[in-house]
Amino acid sequence: MENGNWFLVTNAELIDSPALLIYPERIRHNIEQMVRMAGDPRRLRPHIKTHKMAEVIAMQQEAGIEKFKCATLAEAELLARCSAKDVLVAYPLTGPGPGRLANLQITYPKTRFSCLVDHPDTLTALEAKVSETNTRLGVFLDLNVGMNRTGISPGPEAEDLYARMTSSPVLDCRGLHVYDGHLRNPDPLQRGRDCDTAFKMVEALAERLQDCGLEVPSVVAGGSPTFPYHAKRERVELSPGTTLLWDARYGQQFPEMPFLPAAALLCRVISKPAPETLCLDLGHKAVAAEMNFPRVLLPQLPESAQVGQSEEHLVLRYAEADRLSIGTECYAIPMHICPTVIKYPEALIVTRGKVTGRWQVAARDYHLAD
């Protein structure tokens, strides 16, 4: 399916730039690979943070995927509007968050909602808010196995917190959650060993909990880089996200993984301000800019170097700049797709080389539009 010019659009002259382009057939390929690796779509709980689109959710549901993970309550509501059966908000809820999630459970009773707990104060606040409503929520204990972002270390304090969760009068304890996003060794064998080492802490905690008579109904584990290794474990729910759209960074870091980039950016040459210099209309506002250069892969300009960027401009050093005229269309594959998608209210859908429709990036904000 892969070819060197998969991103080209024949009617690009009708498209304002910069623009986000989405290729459904490539998404479908990625979903098929996810299901193949998992062995059963019921094992999958994909994260929707990468795409935030109802149409991509529907494509996964058509493949038999019923459980999802998300990071925001807007994403959770989008999933409920799409009739997702099971939604895990994989983020600590504070402020009005617990109350909003409880209201979602009341509004969408056919969807089962859960969230994460990694601290006694989080649990106390969540119980207080849920007790004010006539509903129940699910909770997963979030474990920190080395990323040091959220989660509780899988030791005695985690055991005590899990015991409190299981005895809550208003919450249903649904198991353990672990995200090992820090494990990104480009050597797949070493990455697998790192993943196994980290997961042993989770397995040991689960055994101790069960020895104490505490049930562990489910373990949700991993992201995209460790997806292949968790897929080999029994009774583990798998939660990749970037696999849906993929990007240039993961493609370069993990070439052994069978996913295809399914999103691109259309941009144009807008200036040639100096010798061997090009400027594209691809600034901070059009592509994720939190990492060092390069921020995109430019397959048509492989010898170019990205040397500067501002809000609306991306400056390239390119020895053959003279051969490109002002207005030349260029295609860019983001190095980091997740924070790139949210810069666009909608994506243009490319089918057989032509733009055939538009999909809303419906959950790009923290509240859904009515």
Side-chain angles (χ1 to χ4, degrees), residues 290-313:
E290 84 283 1
M291 62 181 62
N292 295 329
F293 292 131
R295 290 171 182 156
V296 293
L297 176 68
L298 296 166
Q300 298 159 298
L301 306 173
E303 303 303 322
S304 64
Q306 297 163 42
V307 297
Q309 191 177 36
S310 54
E311 292 185 9
E312 308 289 355
H313 310 81

Side-chain angles (χ1 to χ4, degrees), residues 31 42 63 72 102 176 261 366:
I31 293 171
R42 292 173 295 182
T72 72
L176 306 175
Y366 287 98

Side-chain angles (χ1 to χ4, degrees), residues 252-300:
Q252 292 173 355
Q253 289 181 332
F254 315 124
E256 80 284 355
M257 296 182 72
F259 302 105
L260 300 176
L265 303 175
L266 174 68
C267 55
R268 289 183 170 91
V269 176
I270 60 169
S271 184
K272 300 166 68 173
E276 300 186 352
T277 304
L278 297 174
C279 183
L280 308 181
D281 54 350
L282 203 63
H284 298 152
K285 293 180 179 178
V287 66
E290 84 283 1
M291 62 181 62
N292 295 329
F293 292 131
R295 290 171 182 156
V296 293
L297 176 68
L298 296 166
Q300 298 159 298

